[in-house]
Amino acid sequence: MKELLEHLQAYILISEEEFKQIETYFECFEVKKKQDINSFKNISNYNFFVVKGCLNMYFINDKGENQSVQFAIENWWISDLLSLHRNKKSVFFIQAVENCKILSISKKNQEKLLIEFPKIERYFRIIYQVALGASLYRIKFLYQASKAERYFHFIKHHPEFAQRIPQYLIASFLGLTPEYVSEIRAKNFS
Amino acid sequence: MKELLEHLQAYILISEEEFKQIETYFECFEVKKKQDINSFKNISNYNFFVVKGCLNMYFINDKGENQSVQFAIENWWISDLLSLHRNKKSVFFIQAVENCKILSISKKNQEKLLIEFPKIERYFRIIYQVALGASLYRIKFLYQASKAERYFHFIKHHPEFAQRIPQYLIASFLGLTPEYVSEIRAKNFS
């Protein structure tokens, strides 16, 4: 679990002794590519930390297609936070894009952990604050950018995602069709 | 500042004595309708809590129009959190929709406050976590809903905003034109 320790230490002071207790609140598991880890219409009971691999959070739209809303790679947290917070059924699936190593913490364990180690509140406050700030930039971008700009901005500014996530999933995440992305790529690189 | 105390107490235990110290980190000010409190291209140095009134966060799009991305009414926090966190120029304006009473806390003071009262980390962690969860539901909604659904869903589920915010701002927030909103309202209510 050294990846989680290092990530915590980037924000707060945690000794290795403290971490020995902290890690007991987590479970480590592996998922194969294409496997779902969070099912739509179940209440989300876990928060997930990606140690290795890539996860895709999506819903199924009216046309029956999977529509991505978020990806998570190494050192990212992912879950349906509203479902987790309000004990309501989730509206999202979370699926492995690659074979993954994941740490999960149940809602109950996360609450116990935060009571025993209140300084971890700071860690989550900072990462949620930054993610929330970024989500407003994303909404600005969705309103502002042309379809082609959405794609080329994403591959330029998020190469760590663009290089490993299949093109049809990037298209979905950006609200584009795979055919459209193929077309603008062909035009741009020809 | 009793509004802030009550809001804090909804999430964490704060005595009135502690609050006497906490409130010294804040400044209270009033803004008139249409006044800007956060300027585009300045670094955001403040986090704002709405005591009374309504604020609108927006940017100016390529057509030169104001495009809303967020509203904040009583007991909401608002700021360009990425600008605040990264000391980078803000990409948003924040303007009063009504005459407002606002509490502001500077970035420096917020950091001092959190060091002196670490339990406030928990308060911010929870509100940011919920807001982040909600932002993913909003992105889902932007991808999924038709233009008419965007409008009617908003007025049904957010009457506290819909009843006080001018229609042209609601249209902007939903990525619609005021003319389109007038048209679907006329159709629906005729």
Side-chain angles (χ1 to χ4, degrees):
Chain A
M1 298 206 184
K2 76 173 189 348
E3 292 84 358
L4 177 62
L5 174 60
E6 284 168 7
H7 202 247
L8 284 164
Q9 284 174 332
Y11 297 89
I12 54 174
L13 291 170
I14 296 278
S15 67
E16 297 211 353
E17 283 207 355
E18 284 174 318
F19 191 69
K20 277 184 193 154
Q21 289 178 64
I22 291 169
E23 66 181 357
T24 63
Y25 290 91
F26 288 84
E27 280 173 57
C28 188
F29 66 99
E30 297 193 359
V31 277
K32 295 277 177 209
K33 186 175 169 174
K34 299 263 182 188
Q35 199 178 328
D36 272 313
I37 63 166
N38 185 80
S39 287
F40 176 68
K41 290 204 174 172
N42 283 338
I43 293 168
S44 297
N45 275 316
Y46 293 92
N47 204 349
F48 303 106
F49 178 82
V50 180
V51 175
K52 190 164 170 41
C54 178
L55 295 172
N56 169 31
M57 184 184 252
Y58 68 95
F59 65 95
I60 297 177
N61 67 19
D62 298 338
K63 295 176 196 156
E65 299 158 347
N66 293 1
Q67 169 71 57
S68 294
V69 292
Q70 200 189 341
F71 298 120
I73 56 173
E74 288 78 11
N75 294 337
W76 283 54
W77 287 88
I78 195 165
S79 71
D80 182 341
L81 290 171
L82 269 198
S83 168
L84 198 69
H85 183 77
R86 297 183 175 161
N87 295 319
K88 286 196 173 175
K89 286 178 183 173
S90 178
V91 299
F92 297 113
F93 295 89
I94 300 176
Q95 191 178 69
V97 177
E98 306 165 355
N99 294 341
C100 295
K101 281 188 190 166
I102 308 290
L103 295 179
S104 69
I105 184 164
S106 68
K107 181 178 176 169
K108 208 169 146 184
N109 267 359
Q110 182 160 314
E111 193 50 32
K112 281 187 197 167
L113 173 68
L114 291 169
I115 288 166
E116 198 180 346
F117 297 95
K119 62 182 167 183
I120 297 177
E121 293 281 8
R122 180 176 175 83
Y123 164 78
F124 280 114
R125 190 267 300 166
I126 297 170
I127 62 167
Y128 288 148
Q129 180 178 320
V130 172
L132 179 61
S135 80
L136 274 186
Y137 280 59
R138 182 174 171 196
I139 285 170
K140 174 178 183 287
F141 189 70
L142 282 175
Y143 278 148
Q144 190 175 31
S146 70
K147 287 183 174 185
E149 279 167 350
R150 282 191 203 178
Y151 179 73
F152 291 112
H153 183 278
F154 182 83
I155 60 168
K156 184 177 171 190
H157 294 278
H158 303 286
E160 71 281 19
F161 290 92
Q163 283 158 13
R164 62 199 283 186
I165 296 175
Q167 207 165 286
Y168 75 95
L169 284 181
I170 294 175
S172 167
F173 174 76
L174 298 170
L176 309 172
T177 64
E179 295 74 23
Y180 178 76
V181 167
S182 296
E183 195 184 308
I184 55 170
R185 277 176 62 92
K187 268 189 203 161
N188 196 62
F189 298 126
S190 65
Chain B
M1 299 207 183
K2 74 173 193 345
E3 292 84 359
L4 178 62
L5 174 60
E6 283 169 8
H7 201 246
L8 284 164
Q9 285 174 332
Y11 297 89
I12 54 174
L13 291 170
I14 296 277
S15 69
E16 297 212 355
E17 282 207 358
E18 284 173 317
F19 192 69
K20 277 183 194 156
Q21 290 178 63
I22 291 169
E23 65 182 359
T24 64
Y25 290 91
F26 288 85
E27 280 175 55
C28 188
F29 66 99
E30 298 194 359
V31 277
K32 295 277 178 207
K33 186 174 169 174
K34 297 265 182 186
Q35 200 177 326
D36 272 313
I37 62 166
N38 185 81
S39 287
F40 175 68
K41 289 205 174 169
N42 282 339
I43 293 167
S44 297
N45 275 316
Y46 293 91
N47 204 350
F48 302 106
F49 178 83
V50 181
V51 175
K52 190 162 170 42
C54 178
L55 296 172
N56 169 30
M57 185 185 252
Y58 68 95
F59 65 95
I60 297 177
N61 67 20
D62 297 339
K63 295 176 196 156
E65 301 159 345
N66 293 1
Q67 169 71 58
S68 294
V69 293
Q70 200 188 340
F71 299 121
I73 57 172
E74 288 78 12
N75 295 337
W76 283 54
W77 287 89
I78 195 164
S79 72
D80 183 339
L81 291 171
L82 269 199
S83 168
L84 198 69
H85 183 77
R86 297 184 176 160
N87 296 318
K88 286 198 172 174
K89 287 177 180 172
S90 177
V91 300
F92 297 113
F93 295 89
I94 300 176
Q95 192 179 68
V97 177
E98 307 166 356
N99 294 342
C100 295
K101 282 188 190 166
I102 308 290
L103 296 179
S104 69
I105 184 163
S106 67
K107 182 178 176 170
K108 210 169 143 184
N109 267 357
Q110 182 160 316
E111 193 49 32
K112 282 187 197 165
L113 173 69
L114 291 169
I115 288 166
E116 198 180 346
F117 296 95
K119 60 184 169 182
I120 297 177
E121 294 281 6
R122 180 176 175 84
Y123 164 78
F124 279 114
R125 190 268 300 168
I126 296 171
I127 63 167
Y128 288 147
Q129 180 179 319
V130 172
L132 179 62
S135 80
L136 274 186
Y137 279 59
R138 181 173 172 198
I139 285 170
K140 174 178 183 287
F141 189 70
L142 282 176
Y143 278 148
Q144 189 175 31
S146 70
K147 287 182 172 187
E149 279 168 350
R150 283 191 201 177
Y151 179 73
F152 291 113
H153 182 276
F154 182 82
I155 59 167
K156 183 176 172 191
H157 293 279
H158 303 286
E160 72 282 19
F161 290 91
Q163 283 159 12
R164 62 198 286 186
I165 296 175
Q167 207 165 287
Y168 75 95
L169 284 181
I170 294 175
S172 168
F173 174 76
L174 298 170
L176 308 173
T177 65
E179 295 75 23
Y180 178 77
V181 167
S182 297
E183 193 184 308
I184 54 170
R185 276 177 62 92
K187 267 189 204 160
N188 197 62
F189 299 127
S190 65

